[in-house]
Each structure stands twice: as structure tokens, then as C-alpha cells.
């Protein structure tokens, strides 16, 4: 980046001179400056400048007025030489890279050049830096139709192109899984841009989400037909066909992958405010402590509204170059009206930001904290932990390495961090009179603001509210509390909305939620509140359209609500907000996991505008903290039914996203509400919910306990379908814990209750797979044959083919497996089919065919797919590599399979991997390792009742 003055046009205009923001309040001055900056170091003729500044209605003395504007602009910039006078116009003398528009174009060109040279890492960095320059629509506050018409379409198109080029690079680097949420948002915002849709389809397919990739194409097809009456391009249709047949050309790249995960370098700070004022000593002091090498933690302590968060974020932005491995931020909500941030949720978010896949995040908070410290070890990162109320909120998040530094903000000095963690406190007091005057001058223009600053107590929050109150009111003065005056100046409708918004349980809210809460169209009222600085709208693109309250403003609003609104009115508003959340969750469930049976809903009212699965996922991601807080509040204060309805509706989302902390909290609050209300169906559903969660956590005893309680309740209610569903889940718990006979008993009881063909088929599949694990192959063939008669689909053919192969009927097995391929399946199902065909080829001695089939199977599930299937495929591929005499390659595959099997609790996969290792280590002349693996296999198979595997392990030991 160039030194000297900096100019930003990609969003609201910003001018920074020597690190200080210069505000140009006159719209025509901004238009003049923009016209010059867009053509740096070139003469812009007077006629063009007049057109850009005044359009078709210039003043009578055009040239003289323009000269006056140039003179005022030179004065504002502080350096008359920046704008030079030429014979027929004016020239802006500036380094083009000091203007974000030209810096963006330069970075985009560098990214394209690096990509063309196959330097993808450099290309990704250049594209990412280019995109970071955009803070909103180009020239968004420059009142010039001609400038906008001439430059906005070109720059916006270049922005879209850079997005596409960066995503192509990310796909080539194998980062498809991380791209999916972003591509969902891009296709939602730009539904006619086909390249984004193609990239989304590829990212989904490579993430083992073939069905969603195909649905994305169908959605694009419908959109193009409805809006333009055309079909998708030939390129998109060819991609659709390639996904349908599982073309190997679409497989994720492997050559560039590194052997071990390297933590990402996330930049997760909120935006720095453009008009940051004062605090020079504090900035220097904090920066010196953070970068000086001796102090790992700096705590900013001060009263509410003093600007601690603003200061911490500003310093963090200034120090970005000193922490090249990234920066993390979290609002711990230690002083919020609602519940503080959940510790497990914060740890989980940090781990995800550092590149840990959701299914690898430990379920225990201590283990998460240990993993975080491990990932941060040796890294140069900065953590900003905002609004901490106690040292215990902070400690689990602290890195264990001196290279990582932490800024904590709090109303207290957190002496426990000083005593035990070596923290240093920097007190943050109100502004000095000079700083107050500087901020008010920036917000209101030059003048004597000393009295106003004193009335505001030099408190930054009060100063900003006061400035917003006085803007444009020359005949008004501040004679009391600025916040009280700002509120009093509002019309009744925004006053009421301000009060009711204090009911929002989480950290932020949308205009739709506000509308539901107050039973009004809140969009315009929120604008009024934002102009008054009584609510804030984050500029960050990570939270578009979401409003926030400062904690103190929320407390003031809550106090007003208790005084002005009756208990009945408050209950009605709270219930309306909860209905909004319930209806939103229900709509998302319909789009994302329609097959999961949910409790009936009592919510009424208009649902949020959610029309696609991408919008559903984005809505749930954004609302997750609010929904968790809402469930807790409803469980404790009512209406209780809304607590369990929300908890039940979120089940599928929390499972998909592996949000263990929120899942645990919401399920327990839902159960609490159901038990307090003696609502047996809800109580049973919450026990089943917790049973599924504890299965995910590997807490099998707790899982069995909750499943059994759910079964008893459903049996008492006479709900056989629900009881059968829970029995099916209970059988899975028993299988994971090695209680195979108990698993079989639960499945048999389940099958007796099932009525629909689909349910019976699934039950027969599960019984057949269990019979295979028990070594009862003839019984497995019988179960799978019955399933095939009911449902001749790909799964039925695959499972019967597997059982026939184990029975020795190889020709019959091949016929069923090949039929399964013809019918097509989801990636995990297709991988199972290919694995069994590979095993058939291996048994017939065709090692190369076996290698090809097993490799195709692994490509379908290796990266983010079904890990149980991936484990089994790796074992089979290891057996193929051993048959080809690649003993070391086989050993590596068996070790990978063993690690995954143990992590996910896949018992038979663990034993198969141990048997494979015992064999291949014997081949590699490592008898001690071979014997150890065989003995482990015998012990585990005996514990689990895996008779067939136990016999194989005994032979090796």
C-alpha cells in the first residue's frame, strides 16, 4: 500500500491524512474529489468536472464556483499541491495505489497473473486482499449520477469477476468445503450469474453433497426459465451431467494438499470506525505492551460507554501486520441483559476459524481449550476478547504461547488475570476535553463544543448520541442526558420499538425480527433509531442487515419498557418474537431436513422470508446465538411450548453443523420446559434429542439412558411410530458401544412396530448389517433379500451384493453390485458399491481393477464425506495395496482407517484396520508390531462379539 494520503471510494468515501480521518460533509465536494481520484495524475477538463458535480443544472458562474470548491477541497486536504491547476482543468497528484479503486484493480491483475503462472497461493492472497478493500457499493455517498453510471457498473462487474477468479483458485487448492456457505450467499445475491452456480455445484459435489449439487442446478434452471425464459448454458448442463455420472474429472485436487493440517490465518475483527478520534496515549501504550514481548495479555478496563471495544478493535487493526497468522474476535456478552456467550460455543467457533472440521472438534470444553492452545502454539496471532465479566470467561480461550497476544475488555480490572496470567491493565477513562472537542468537531463541524462535551461527561457513547441528536438542529441545545433527550425527541412509534427491542435475547436482530416483535413495519423506524445512534448497524459484510444495541442503551431501553409498557404488552411482544423464531426454524427445517419428524407447532404469524436451502442455512447461522438465548429464556420464563418447539426444530441443523455446545444447551432447556409443563410428548422428544446428542459425543451410557426414557414415554402415549424410531436409534448406540446382541434385540423390537414399506426396508438394512458384523452371513442374506423385494433400490442391491460376496456367491454378488451402480446413489452409497466391487476384483486376482474401483470409492468420501464408509474403504484399499506388494502404502491406509474408526467409534472398522496392520507389519518384518496389533484385534473383537473378525484375529495372534 502506498504511503501518504489514502482515499477510499469502494463504499462510503473515506479520506485519511497521516492516520486521521477527514470528513467532507458537502456532497458536491465529494463528487469533485471522486472525479479527480478516478483519473489520478491526469487532467480532468472543467466541462467534465461540471457535469460530474452538477449534472444538467450547473450554476450561472460555473467556473468561479468550481474554483471555490477546489480551494475548499485543497484546504480540507491540508496540502494545496495535491490538486494542480491545468490550462483547461485540474489534476489530482496522487499515487494511484493510494486510491482503493486503483489498488483493487492492481491486486486483481496480480492475482490473475499469479493464477496464470500456476502460483495459486499467491493468487489467492492477491484476490483476497483485493476483495477486502470493498466496504459497500462503490461511490455509495457520492451524489453524482454521471460518475456512478460511468464507473459503478464497470467496477461492480470487476468485483464479481474477482470473486469468481478467487473461487476458482480456492477450488484448485482443494478448499471446496469452506467455500460452500459463501457460494450459497453469492448465488442468493446474484441468482442469474451462472458461474457462481457452477462453482457451487462443484464445491458441493466435492464435499460429498451430490444431491444438493444437483438441486442447485435445478434451482438455477427454474430461475432462468422464470425470469429470462432461457436454459442454463451448455457448460452448466455438461457439469450437471458429469455430476450425475460421478465423472472422475470432478474429483477434488490432491497434489497440492499438505500432509498435516496447517491452521488457517483468519481475520475476524469487526470493522474499524472511520472517524476514530483521540486516545493517542492509549493506542501507543497498548501497542507497546502487545508488541513489546513481555506482556501476553492487556486488559482495557473502564466504565460502560467509554469506548473500550472501539479502542481494542482500532489497535487490533493497526497491528494486523504484526500478527500475520490471523486475528480472532468474540463478544463474550459478560454484561448483557441476556445470557453471556457460551464457552463451548466460543471455543468451537475459534477452532472452526482455525480450520478444524466440525466432526473433529472434541465434545468436552477442556479438550477444546487444549486443542486451541495446540493450534495456536508457535503462531503469531492476536485475540480480542470483548466484554469479559470474569477471569473464568477468559482463561479457556487463552493461548499457551508467547507468540500469541490477547486484548481483553471489561468493566472490571480482572485482577485474577493479573495475578495468575501476567496480564497488564490499561485503564480507559472518559475523553479529555480536547478529545471530546475533536470528536464533536468531526461529527458536527468546527465550533465551540466545550459545554456540550461537559454535559455529556466526555463519555464517547454520550457524545455520539448527542451529536446525532443535534445534527441539522441549529436551534437546539443539550440540557440533560443526551440519551434521554435523543429518546424524547423520537416520535412515539420508534420510541415504542426502541423499548421493545430490549426484549431481544441475543446479540443482534434483523428488521424482520423487529417487525414481528412490535407488530409494525420496522425498517423505517430502525433507520430513525440508527440515525439517532440508539442502535448500530455493523458495516461488516459478515453481518449484513443486522442491528445491535450497546449494552447500556439496551439497559436504558429495558428500564423504559418496564415503566411504559404493560406486562400484557411485553408478553405479547415477546411471544410474537418467539413465534417469529419458531416459524423461521420450521421453514428452515422444511428446506434443509424435511425428513426429520418434528413436534407440532403452536406458532402463528408471517414466517421470515426464506425461500432456498442456502437462505435457510444462512438464517440459522446468523440467528443461532439468538435462538439459543430465546430457548433458555422461554424455558425459564415462558411460553414453555415455544422452548421445546425451537429446540426440537433446531435438532437437524445442530446435527448437520456439529454445534455441540448449543445442542447440549437447547436440548436441556427444552427438556426442562417440557418437564415443568408435564407435556409428555415434548418430554419424550427432548429425551430422544439428548440420546442422539450423547451418541454423537460418544457418551453411550447417557445415550442409552435418554433413549430408554423416550421409549417408555412413547409407549405410555401409545405412539408406536415414535417408539420404533427411538428403538432404531438405540440399536445404533448399542452397535457403537459394542453391545451387538442388545443392538439386535432393539432392532427386532423396532421392526415389529414399523408399518411403512420405507421404514421396514431401513429396519431390514440395519438388521442385515448387524448380522454381517456378527458373522451371521446367511441371516444377513435373508434380511437383505427381503429388503430388496420391498425396495429394489441401489442400497438394497449393494447390501445384498455385499452379503452374497461374503457368502461366496461371487457372480450373484457382482450382478447386484453392478445393478446398484446403474441405479445411481448418493456418494456414500456409491462408495460402498465400488468398495464391494473392488473386494470382488481382489478376490479374483485383478489387482489393477480393484485399485481403480477402491480409489474411486475413496475419492467420493475421503474429503468431508461419510467417515464410517471412508474408514471401510481405506481398509479395502489397504488390502489391495498389500496384494500389489505396496506394503508401506497399505500400512499408511490401515493407520488412517484405525485413527478414524477410533475417533468416530466405528467398532468393526477398528478391528478390520488392526487385522490389516497385523498382516502388513508381518510383511514388513515388524513382528512385535504385528503381534501387538493382532492382540488388540482379538481383545476388541471378543469384547464386541464380532465372531468372524475374532476368528481372523486369533489366527494372526
Amino acid at each position: 500500500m502506498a504511503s501518504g494520503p489514502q482515499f477510499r471510494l469502494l463504499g462510503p468515501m473515506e479520506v485519511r491524512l497521516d492516520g486521521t480521518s477527514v470528513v467532507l460533509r458537502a456532497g458536491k465536494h465529494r463528487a469533485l474529489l471522486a472525479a479527480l481520484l478516478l483519473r489520478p495524475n491526469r487532467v480532468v477538463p472543467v466541462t467534465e468536472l461540471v457535469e460530474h458535480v452538477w449534472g444538467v443544472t450547473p450554476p450561472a458562474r460555473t467556473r468561479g464556483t468550481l474554483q471555490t470548491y477546489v480551494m475548499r477541497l485543497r484546504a480540507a486536504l491540508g496540502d494545496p499541491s495535491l490538486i494542480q491547476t491545468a490550462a483547461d482543468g485540474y489534476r489530482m497528484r496522487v499515487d494511484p495505489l493510494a486510491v482503493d479503486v486503483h489498488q483493487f484493480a492492481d491486486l486483481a491483475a496480480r492475482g490473475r497473473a499469479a493464477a496464470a503462472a500456476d502460483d495459486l497461493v499467491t493468487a489467492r492472497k492477491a484476490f483476497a486482499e483485493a476483495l477486502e478493500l470493498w466496504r459497500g457499493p462503490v461511490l455509495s455517498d457520492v451524489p453524482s449520477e454521471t460518475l456512478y453510471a460511468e464507473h459503478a457498473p464497470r467496477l461492480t462487474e470487476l468485483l464479481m469477476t474477482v470473486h469468481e477468479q478467487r473461487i476458482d483458485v480456492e477450488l484448485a487448492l482443494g478448499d471446496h468445503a469452506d467455500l460452500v456457505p459463501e457460494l450459497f450467499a453469492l448465488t442468493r445475491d446474484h441468482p442469474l450469474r451462472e458461474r457462481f452456480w457452477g462453482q457451487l455445484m462443484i464445491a458441493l459435489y466435492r464435499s460429498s453433497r451430490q444431491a444438493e449439487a444437483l438441486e442447485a442446478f435445478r434451482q438455477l434452471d427454474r430461475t432462468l426459465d422464470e425470469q429470462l425464459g432461457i436454459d442454463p448454458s451448455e457448460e452448466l448442463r455438461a457439469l450437471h451431467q458429469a455430476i450425475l455420472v460421478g465423472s472422475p474429472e470432478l474429483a477434488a485436487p490432491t497434489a497440492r494438499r499438505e500432509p498435516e493440517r496447517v491452521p488457517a490465518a483468519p481475520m475476524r475483527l469487526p470493522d474499524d470506525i472511520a472517524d476514530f478520534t483521540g486516545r493517542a496515549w492509549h493506542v501507543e501504550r497498548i501497542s507497546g505492551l502487545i508488541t513489546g514481548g513481555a506482556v501476553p495479555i492487556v486488559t482495557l478496563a473502564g466504565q460502560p460507554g467509554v469506548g473500550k471495544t472501539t479502542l481494542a478493535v482500532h489497535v487490533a487493526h493497526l497491528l494486523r501486520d504484526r500478527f500475520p497468522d490471523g486475528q480472532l474476535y468474540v463478544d463474550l456478552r459478560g454484561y448483557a441483559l441476556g445470557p453471556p456467550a457460551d464457552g463451548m460455543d466460543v471455543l468451537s467457533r475459534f477452532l472452526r476459524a482455525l480450520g478444524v472440521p466440525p466432526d473433529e472438534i472434541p465434545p468436552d470444553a477442556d479438550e477444546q481449550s487444549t486443542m486451541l492452545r495446540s493450534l495456536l502454539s508457535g503462531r503469531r496471532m492476536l485475540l480480542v476478547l470483548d466484554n469479559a465479566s470474569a477471569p473464568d470467561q477468559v482463561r479457556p480461550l487463552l493461548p499457551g504461547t508467547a507468540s500469541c497476544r490477547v486484548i481483553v475488555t471489561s468493566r472490571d480490572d480482572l485482577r485474577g488475570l493479573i495475578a495468575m496470567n501476567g496480564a497488564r491493565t490499561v485503564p480507559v477513562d472518559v475523553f479529555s476535553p480536547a478529545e471530546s472537542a475533536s470528536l464533536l468537531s468531526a461529527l458536527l463541524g468546527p465550533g465551540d463544543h466545550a459545554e456540550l462535551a461537559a454535559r455529556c461527561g466526555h463519555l464517547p457513547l454520550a457524545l455520539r448520541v448527542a451529536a446525532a441528536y443535534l445534527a441539522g438542529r441549529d436551534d437546539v441545545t443539550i440540557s440533560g442526558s443526551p440519551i434521554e433527550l435523543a429518546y424524547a425527541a423520537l416520535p412515539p412509534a420508534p420510541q415504542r420499538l426502541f423499548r421493545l427491542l430490549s426484549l431481544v435475547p441475543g446479540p443482534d436482530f434483523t428488521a424482520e425480527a423487529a417487525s414481528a416483535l412490535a407488530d409494525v413495519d420496522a425498517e423505517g423506524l430502525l433507520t430513525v433509531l440508527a440515525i439517532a445512534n440508539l442502535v448500530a448497524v455493523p458495516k461488516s459484510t459478515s453481518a449484513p442487515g443486522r442491528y445491535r444495541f450497546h449494552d447500556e442503551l439496551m439497559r436504558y431501553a429495558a428500564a423504559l419498557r418496564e415503566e411504559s409498557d404493560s406486562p400484557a404488552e411485553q408478553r405479547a411482544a415477546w411471544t410474537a418474537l418467539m413465534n417469529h423464531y419458531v416459524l423461521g426454524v420450521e421453514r428452515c427445517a422444511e428446506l434443509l431436513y424435511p425428513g426429520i419428524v418434528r413436534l407440532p407447532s403452536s406458532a402463528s404469524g408471517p414466517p421470515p422470508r426464506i425461500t432456498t436451502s442456502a437462505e435457510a442455512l444462512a438464517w440459522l447461522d446468523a440467528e443461532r446465538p439468538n435462538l439459543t438465548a430465546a430457548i433458555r429464556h422461554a424455558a425459564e420464563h415462558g411460553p414453555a411450548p415455544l422452548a421445546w418447539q425451537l429446540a426440537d426444530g433446531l435438532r437437524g441443523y445442530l446435527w448437520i453443523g456439529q454445534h455441540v455446545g448449543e445442542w447440549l444447551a437447547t436440548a436441556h432447556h427444552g427438556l426442562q420446559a417440557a418437564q415443568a409443563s408435564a407435556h409428555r410428548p415434548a418430554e419424550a422428544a427432548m429425551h430422544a434429542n439428548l440420546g442422539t446428542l450423547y451418541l454423537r459425543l460418544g457418551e453411550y451410557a447417557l445415550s442409552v439412558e435418554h433413549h430408554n426414557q423416550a421409549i417408555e414415554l412413547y409407549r405410555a402415549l401409545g405412539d408406536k411410530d415414535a417408539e420404533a424410531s427411538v428403538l432404531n436409534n438405540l440399536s445404533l448406540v448399542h452397535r457403537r458401544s459394542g453391545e451387538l446382541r442388545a443392538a439386535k434385540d432393539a432392532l427386532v423390537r423396532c421392526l415389529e412396530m414399523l408399518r411403512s414399506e420405507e421404514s421396514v426396508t431401513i429396519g431390514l438394512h440395519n438388521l442385515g448389517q448387524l448380522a454381517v458384523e456378527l458373522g451371521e452371513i446367511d441371516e444377513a442374506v435373508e434380511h437383505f433379500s427381503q429388503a430388496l423385494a420391498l425396495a429394489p433400490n441401489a442400497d438394497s442391491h449393494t447390501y445384498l451384493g455385499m452379503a452374497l460376496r461374503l457368502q461366496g456367491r461371487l457372480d450373484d454378488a457382482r450382478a447386484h453390485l453392478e445393478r446398484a451402480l446403474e441405479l445411481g446413489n448418493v456418494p456414500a452409497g456409491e462408495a460402498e458399491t465400488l468398495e464391494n466391487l473392488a473386494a470382488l476384483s481382489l478376490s479374483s486376482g485383478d489387482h489393477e481393477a480393484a485399485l481403480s474401483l477402491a480409489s474411486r470409492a475413496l475419492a467420493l468420501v475421503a474429503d468431508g464425506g461419510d467417515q464410517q464408509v471412508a474408514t471401510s474403504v481405506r481398509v479395502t484399499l489397504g488390502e489391495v495395496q498389500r496384494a500389489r506388494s505396496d506394503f508401506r502404502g497399505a500400512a499408511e491406509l490401515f493407520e488412517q482407517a484405525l485413527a478414524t474408526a477410533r475417533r468416530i467409534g466405528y467398532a468393526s472398522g477398528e478391528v478390520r484396520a488392526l487385522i490389516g496392520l497385523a498382516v502388513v507389519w508381518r510383511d514388513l518384518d515388524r513382528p512385535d508390531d504385528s503381534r501387538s496389533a493382532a492382540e488388540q484385534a482379538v481383545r476388541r473383537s471378543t469384547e464386541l462379539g464380532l465372531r468372524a473378525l475374532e476368528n481372523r484375529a486369533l489366527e494372526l495372534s
Side-chain angles (χ1 to χ4, degrees):
M1 181 178 288
S3 59
Q6 302 290 316
F7 303 91
R8 299 178 181 178
L9 304 176
L10 300 176
M13 177 179 281
E14 290 185 7
V15 179
R16 296 190 72 84
L17 303 177
D18 298 324
T20 301
S21 177
V22 175
V23 179
L24 300 177
R25 299 196 173 278
K28 287 183 169 51
H29 291 175
R30 295 196 297 273
L32 173 60
L33 179 59
L36 294 169
L37 289 171
L38 286 165
R39 296 170 64 181
N41 303 312
R42 295 169 58 189
V43 174
V44 183
V46 168
T47 54
E48 289 187 27
L49 292 174
V50 169
E51 183 180 12
H52 292 324
V53 173
W54 286 284
V56 295
T57 57
R61 295 183 61 258
T62 303
R63 186 175 290 271
T65 305
L66 184 64
Q67 288 175 342
T68 301
Y69 282 9
V70 170
M71 177 185 68
R72 291 176 179 172
L73 199 54
R74 285 170 172 160
L77 296 177
D79 183 356
S81 67
L82 287 176
I83 303 177
Q84 298 177 337
T85 303
D88 59 343
Y90 296 92
R91 177 194 296 111
M92 189 78 187
R93 186 180 60 82
V94 64
D95 183 343
L97 295 185
V99 185
D100 61 356
V101 168
H102 308 297
Q103 188 184 1
F104 172 74
D106 177 74
L107 285 166
R110 281 196 272 161
R112 287 192 296 272
D118 205 36
D119 184 359
L120 299 186
V121 174
T122 299
R124 174 170 59 184
K125 184 174 185 293
F127 286 141
E129 290 177 0
L131 294 172
E132 282 184 0
L133 295 172
W134 283 76
R135 298 164 293 108
V138 62
L139 303 171
S140 63
D141 64 346
V142 175
S144 173
E145 292 183 7
T146 56
L147 276 179
Y148 193 85
E150 181 177 340
H151 295 282
R154 171 181 62 84
L155 290 167
T156 303
E157 176 58 27
L158 182 56
L159 170 66
M160 293 296 99
T161 301
V162 171
H163 270 300
E164 292 168 344
Q165 291 167 336
R166 181 190 62 82
I167 291 167
D168 280 342
V169 168
E170 298 278 12
L171 287 171
L173 287 167
D175 295 334
H176 40 272
D178 293 337
L179 287 170
V180 169
E182 178 185 357
L183 284 165
F184 270 138
L186 287 169
T187 52
R188 176 195 64 209
D189 296 338
H190 309 282
L192 302 180
R193 203 163 183 99
E194 292 192 43
R195 192 167 172 187
F196 286 148
W197 285 98
Q199 291 169 327
L200 173 61
M201 290 164 65
I202 291 172
L204 286 168
Y205 177 79
R206 290 179 179 176
S207 301
S208 299
R209 297 164 70 173
Q210 183 184 28
E212 292 177 74
L214 297 173
E215 174 56 29
F217 178 84
R218 288 191 289 270
Q219 186 176 336
L220 170 63
D221 190 14
R222 288 192 299 270
T223 301
L224 292 177
D225 181 59
E226 291 169 2
Q227 297 194 26
L228 301 177
I230 62 173
D231 295 324
S233 66
E234 180 63 31
E235 180 182 355
L236 265 292
R237 293 199 300 272
L239 175 59
H240 176 250
Q241 184 62 30
I243 290 173
L244 276 173
V245 301
S247 172
E249 296 176 359
L250 295 181
T254 57
R256 298 177 188 275
R257 291 185 187 163
E258 298 183 9
E260 297 180 14
R261 185 197 308 118
V262 176
M267 295 295 178
R268 301 294 175 89
L269 293 174
D271 293 325
D272 192 9
I273 62 171
D275 54 1
F276 183 87
T277 301
R279 303 294 193 197
W281 178 87
H282 289 84
V283 170
E284 182 178 356
R285 175 65 171 162
I286 298 164
S287 300
L289 290 171
I290 288 291
T291 61
V295 181
I297 306 166
V298 174
T299 300
L300 311 187
Q303 63 176 293
V306 81
K308 302 181 294 294
T309 298
T310 300
L311 175 59
V313 170
H314 179 70
V315 172
H317 276 282
L318 291 178
L319 299 179
R320 283 182 66 165
D321 292 343
R322 302 295 295 269
F323 298 96
D325 293 321
Q327 294 167 309
L328 295 173
Y329 169 89
V330 65
D331 180 359
L332 294 173
R333 292 176 51 80
Y335 303 96
L337 280 180
D342 180 80
M344 283 185 64
D345 176 41
V346 174
L347 283 164
S348 177
R349 280 157 49 193
F350 277 9
L351 292 173
R352 289 166 190 256
L354 290 168
V356 180
D359 64 342
E360 293 185 20
I361 295 176
D364 179 76
D366 290 338
E367 293 179 14
Q368 290 180 1
S369 184
T370 299
M371 177 179 278
L372 178 65
R373 287 194 295 272
S374 174
L375 287 172
L376 294 178
S377 178
R379 306 272 290 174
R380 293 170 60 197
M381 292 190 70
L382 178 63
L383 279 60
V384 180
L385 310 179
D386 196 16
N387 288 317
S389 60
D392 287 346
Q393 259 195 310
V394 173
R395 287 198 177 100
L397 306 171
L398 296 179
T401 177
S403 60
C404 290
R405 298 304 168 97
V406 182
I407 299 176
V408 183
T409 75
S410 178
R411 298 181 186 180
D412 305 298
D413 59 12
L414 302 180
R415 294 187 179 182
L417 291 180
I418 300 172
M420 297 182 63
N421 301 95
R424 187 74 62 85
T425 297
V426 175
V428 183
D429 205 344
V430 297
F431 271 168
S432 67
E435 288 173 324
S436 296
S438 177
L439 177 60
L440 290 174
S441 295
L443 296 173
L444 295 173
D448 183 3
H449 302 299
E451 183 180 354
L452 173 60
R455 288 187 178 276
C456 294
H458 301 287
L459 195 68
L461 175 63
L463 291 168
R464 289 186 178 276
V465 173
Y469 172 72
L470 291 172
R473 300 179 180 181
D474 297 334
D475 58 339
V476 175
T477 60
I478 294 288
S479 58
S481 162
I483 296 174
E484 292 177 4
L485 289 171
Y487 170 77
L490 295 173
Q495 280 187 340
R496 175 174 175 270
L497 178 62
F498 177 72
R499 298 193 305 270
L500 293 179
L501 284 172
S502 64
L503 290 167
V504 173
D508 56 18
F509 54 90
T510 62
E512 271 193 314
S515 298
L517 173 73
D519 193 24
V520 294
D521 182 356
E523 193 85 51
L525 302 182
L526 285 170
T527 300
V528 172
L529 293 175
I531 291 172
N533 259 354
L534 293 177
V535 299
V537 188
K539 292 188 297 181
S540 172
T541 55
S542 64
R546 303 195 69 84
Y547 297 80
R548 297 182 72 94
F549 255 136
H550 189 284
D551 287 347
E552 284 308 292
L553 293 175
M554 177 171 275
R555 291 181 184 279
Y556 175 64
L560 289 172
R561 170 171 52 80
E562 292 294 338
E563 294 174 4
S564 305
D565 301 288
S566 71
E569 290 172 322
Q570 295 182 54
R571 282 195 302 271
W574 167 252
T575 302
L577 178 62
M578 288 293 291
N579 281 334
H580 169 80
Y581 288 145
V582 171
L583 291 166
V585 168
E586 288 180 345
R587 179 64 182 138
C588 294
E590 291 167 1
L591 291 166
L592 293 173
Y593 36 93
I596 295 181
V597 178
R598 303 187 304 279
L599 288 167
S601 168
S602 60
S604 60
R609 293 187 295 272
I610 304 169
T611 58
T612 67
S613 57
E615 291 175 357
L617 192 60
W619 189 89
L620 288 169
D621 285 342
E623 295 288 359
R624 191 170 74 243
N626 290 320
L627 296 172
T628 305
I631 291 168
R632 174 176 174 175
H633 190 281
E636 295 174 350
H637 306 289
L642 297 178
W644 65 66
Q645 288 166 24
L646 269 178
D648 187 61
L650 281 173
R651 202 165 22 107
Y653 164 71
L654 298 173
W655 169 272
I656 292 169
Q658 308 286 350
H659 301 292
V660 171
E662 292 99 326
W663 192 355
L664 193 63
T666 56
H668 275 295
H669 289 311
L671 179 60
Q672 170 193 337
Q675 289 174 332
S677 303
H679 193 288
R680 297 297 175 243
E683 189 178 344
M686 292 300 100
H687 277 301
N689 188 2
L690 283 164
T692 306
L693 170 59
Y694 284 120
L695 169 62
R696 158 72 180 87
L697 297 177
E699 297 281 354
Y700 299 127
L702 283 171
S703 182
V704 169
E705 178 184 334
H706 282 287
H707 276 113
N708 281 332
Q709 291 186 63
I711 289 168
E712 290 177 11
L713 287 163
Y714 281 131
R715 185 176 299 137
L717 292 165
D719 191 340
K720 290 185 177 297
D721 289 338
E723 183 181 352
S725 175
V726 178
L727 279 166
N728 183 65
N729 290 342
L730 178 60
S731 73
L732 179 58
V733 180
H734 285 312
R735 285 175 68 180
R736 289 283 179 89
S737 62
E739 299 289 338
L740 299 190
R741 291 298 171 187
K744 184 175 182 179
D745 290 343
L747 273 178
V748 170
R749 288 163 57 198
C750 166
L751 200 58
E752 291 170 352
M753 297 180 184
L754 296 174
R755 289 176 285 188
S756 72
E757 274 192 4
E758 181 181 1
S759 299
V760 172
T761 301
I762 294 171
L764 288 167
H765 284 167
N766 292 337
L767 264 177
Q769 290 170 330
L770 188 57
V772 169
E773 292 188 8
L774 288 166
E776 300 167 351
I777 306 304
D778 293 344
E779 190 175 326
V781 170
E782 181 182 347
H783 292 316
F784 290 139
S785 297
Q786 292 173 0
L788 182 63
L790 287 172
N793 55 32
D795 280 337
S796 295
H797 280 289
T798 295
Y799 296 143
L800 181 55
M802 171 185 64
L804 290 169
R805 175 178 66 81
L806 295 172
Q807 202 178 43
R809 296 163 58 184
L810 303 189
D811 291 340
D812 291 339
R814 186 177 298 279
H816 283 288
L817 292 168
E818 289 177 348
R819 178 58 180 153
L821 281 185
E822 292 172 4
L823 291 172
N825 206 341
V826 297
E830 185 178 345
E832 288 183 296
T833 307
L834 291 168
E835 179 199 356
N836 278 280
L837 282 170
L840 274 176
S841 296
L842 180 61
S843 64
S844 64
D846 190 346
H847 298 165
E848 296 309 310
L851 177 64
S852 175
L853 289 162
S855 298
R856 285 171 58 192
L858 188 58
L860 289 169
V861 289
D863 189 8
D866 188 311
Q867 291 303 290
Q868 182 165 317
V869 176
T871 300
S872 183
V873 171
R874 284 193 173 96
V875 171
T876 299
L877 186 55
E879 292 167 349
V880 172
Q881 295 291 42
R882 177 181 177 269
R884 298 175 69 248
S885 300
D886 182 1
F887 302 130
R888 297 194 181 282
E892 182 178 344
L893 285 161
F894 290 137
E895 287 176 329
Q896 291 172 357
L898 179 62
T900 305
R902 285 175 169 168
R903 176 169 55 81
I904 66 175
Y906 178 26
S908 62
E910 178 186 357
V911 176
R912 286 183 62 201
L914 285 167
I915 289 171
L917 281 170
V919 174
V920 78
W921 277 333
R922 185 179 61 191
D923 296 331
L924 290 168
D925 196 24
R926 293 170 58 178
D928 292 341
D929 291 334
S930 177
R931 189 180 308 108
S932 173
E935 289 171 354
Q936 290 181 62
V938 170
R939 184 168 59 253
R940 287 293 286 146
S941 58
T942 303
E943 292 171 357
L944 300 167
L946 303 172
R947 298 293 173 248
L949 292 175
E950 181 184 358
N951 291 335
R952 289 174 58 192
L954 283 167
E955 292 172 5
L956 290 167
S957 65

